[in-house]
């Protein structure tokens, strides 16, 4: 028996990375999955690999009507939506406040904030009629703490997603609809290659992220790199009945990255201080 047997989940940003791995895990746990993203070849290939319980629907989340169509198509096909995972995202252009350009701010916010708002807007009436549902929005450590994102727009957008999730959780709790955000730390996916200007195919290619597995090993106190599976498992928790009493919160999945300083670093500083004091 799967943890999501007979549930219907819609996942945006499922053509690669975290969304793709989550779609695979949800399907394995018995869910019907509607996978979305703009890249049709990748989306269709994923849906085919998951079998008849999956459907691919193309949507640009920055466009309200396309998100509406995604939700409506999922309803037409499966008759209900138990989980919406608003996961689509882009890295945002690296740079600080002096590098901002008007068009860039708006186009990045349109994906990172509007996309999440459109998803919640269109699924809320459906979940209200059902009297149940769970919405998961992808935040980030960059939205939790300053200094963890290289794009100002990305960081503020993720902070907005985390806060919007709490606001909508309050609005929908009485209808037994749960809304939470999930904030990944450094997770090995193609988003980093995309941030450095690789095209999607190069960034997401098999082996393209192998180097990051080594580089991210020591990025957080827990001694291994974060992978898409880590986020997929947390999304599974939020999508399943195991989290029935969890709403209006942000779940960090970051190997302890923003909790504080590594113990070994603290002790090294302590040793350094104690040696310095011993010499005085
Ligand atoms: N990896 C990390 O370290 C990390 C850390 C914190 C937060 N996150 C967040 O996790 C989420 C997933 O990222 P990822 O790491 O898995 O990166 P990824 O592999 O690049 O996945 C991004 C997904 O978003 C989709 N997407 C981008 N723009 C879109 C648009 N306008 N409309 C619809 N879909 C769009 C992409 O599909 P198409 O190109 O086919 O449209 C792709 O499926 C993002 O929200 C990201 O900000 C990642």
């Amino acid at each position: 028996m799967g943890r999501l047997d007979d549930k219907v989940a819609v996942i945006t940003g499922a053509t690669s990375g975290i969304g793709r791995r989550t779609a695979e895990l949800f399907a394995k746990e018995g869910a019907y999955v509607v996978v979305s993203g703009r890249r049709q070849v990748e989306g269709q290939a994923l849906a085919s690999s998951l079998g008849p319980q999956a459907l691919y629907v193309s949507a640009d989340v920055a466009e309200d009507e396309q998100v509406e169509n995604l939700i409506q198509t999922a309803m037409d096909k499966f008759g209900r939506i138990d989980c919406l995972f608003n996961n689509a995202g882009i890295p945002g252009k690296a740079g600080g406040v002096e590098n901002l350009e008007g068009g860039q701010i708006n186009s990045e916010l349109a994906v990172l904030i509007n996309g999440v708002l459109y998803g919640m807007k269109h699924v809320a009436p459906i979940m209200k009629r059902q009297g149940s549902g769970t919405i998961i929005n992808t935040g980030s450590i960059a939205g939790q703490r300053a200094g963890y994102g290289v794009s100002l727009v990305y960081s503020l957008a993720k902070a907005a997603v985390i806060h919007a999730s709490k606001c909508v959780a309050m609005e929908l709790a009485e209808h037994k609809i749960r809304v939470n955000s999930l904030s990944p730390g450094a997770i090995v996916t193609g988003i980093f290659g995309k941030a450095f200007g690789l095209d999607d195919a190069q960034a997401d290619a098999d082996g393209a992220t192998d180097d990051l597995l080594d580089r991210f090993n020591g990025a957080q106190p827990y001694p291994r790199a974060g992978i898409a599976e880590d986020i997929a498992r947390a999304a599974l928790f939020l999508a399943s009945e195991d989290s029935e009493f969890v709403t209006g919160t942000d779940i960090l999945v970051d190997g302890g990255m923003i909790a504080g300083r590594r113990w070994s670093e603290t002790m090294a500083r302590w040793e350094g201080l104690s040696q310095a004091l011993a010499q005085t």
Side-chain angles (χ1 to χ4, degrees):
M1 197 175 133
R3 288 166 71 187
L4 299 180
D5 275 347
D6 299 326
K7 293 197 183 293
V8 179
V10 177
I11 304 173
T12 70
T15 48
S16 57
I18 290 167
R20 181 189 169 89
R21 186 66 204 114
T22 304
E24 291 167 346
L25 184 61
F26 279 19
K28 191 170 146 232
E29 291 291 341
Y32 297 97
V33 284
V34 179
V35 295
S36 191
R38 295 162 303 171
R39 283 172 290 168
Q40 304 196 1
V41 172
E42 287 79 356
Q44 297 284 12
L46 174 62
S48 303
S49 74
L50 299 178
Q53 72 194 89
L55 173 72
Y56 165 70
V57 181
S58 173
D60 181 338
V61 296
E63 301 294 334
D64 194 4
E65 320 79 62
Q66 293 191 30
V67 178
E68 183 177 20
N69 178 63
L70 164 64
I71 299 295
Q72 190 53 51
T73 308
M75 281 301 283
D76 293 345
K77 172 81 175 170
F78 295 114
R80 58 183 294 113
I81 298 174
D82 299 289
C83 173
L84 171 63
F85 186 16
N86 284 311
N87 167 72
I90 49 173
K93 190 173 164 214
V97 69
E98 292 173 45
N99 303 105
L100 293 174
E101 292 158 20
Q104 167 227 337
I105 300 172
N106 290 338
S107 63
E108 292 179 1
L109 292 180
V111 178
L112 293 166
I113 299 184
N114 298 10
V116 172
L117 296 179
Y118 296 149
M120 293 197 288
K121 165 185 155 179
H122 292 299
V123 88
I126 292 165
M127 290 182 169
K128 274 186 179 175
R129 282 199 298 278
Q130 294 172 175
S132 68
T134 164
I135 300 172
I136 309 163
N137 298 321
T138 305
S140 169
I141 51 168
Q144 280 273 4
R145 287 195 65 186
Y148 282 84
V150 294
S151 155
L152 174 57
V153 175
Y154 180 89
S155 299
L156 75 88
K158 291 301 189 181
V161 166
I162 292 166
H163 192 62
S165 305
K166 293 184 203 296
C167 293
V168 181
M170 296 305 99
E171 194 183 324
L172 299 180
E174 288 161 35
H175 300 274
K176 288 197 161 179
I177 302 165
R178 302 184 291 107
V179 187
N180 296 287
S181 53
L182 188 49
S183 284
I187 305 297
V188 174
T189 72
I191 202 168
F192 293 95
K194 292 168 197 175
F196 284 110
L198 295 183
D199 67 32
D200 292 348
Q202 289 173 307
D204 293 331
D206 287 344
T209 53
D210 288 355
D211 180 45
L212 293 179
L213 283 168
D214 287 335
R215 285 183 187 274
F216 287 4
N217 234 340
Q220 57 285 306
Y222 200 81
R224 71 158 169 82
I227 54 173
E229 176 82 16
D230 295 313
I231 309 305
R233 285 199 213 155
L236 173 61
F237 169 69
L238 288 174
S240 76
E241 300 302 328
D242 292 345
S243 59
E244 197 208 329
F245 207 52
V246 180
T247 195
T249 197
D250 182 62
I251 297 194
L252 273 167
V253 183
D254 70 343
M257 185 181 267
I258 66 168
R261 188 175 280 140
R262 244 184 229 99
W263 177 247
S264 51
E265 280 175 27
T266 299
M267 291 316 287
R269 279 166 197 259
W270 172 250
E271 285 300 325
L273 185 62
S274 104
Q275 279 169 19
L277 288 174
Q279 284 162 14
T280 57

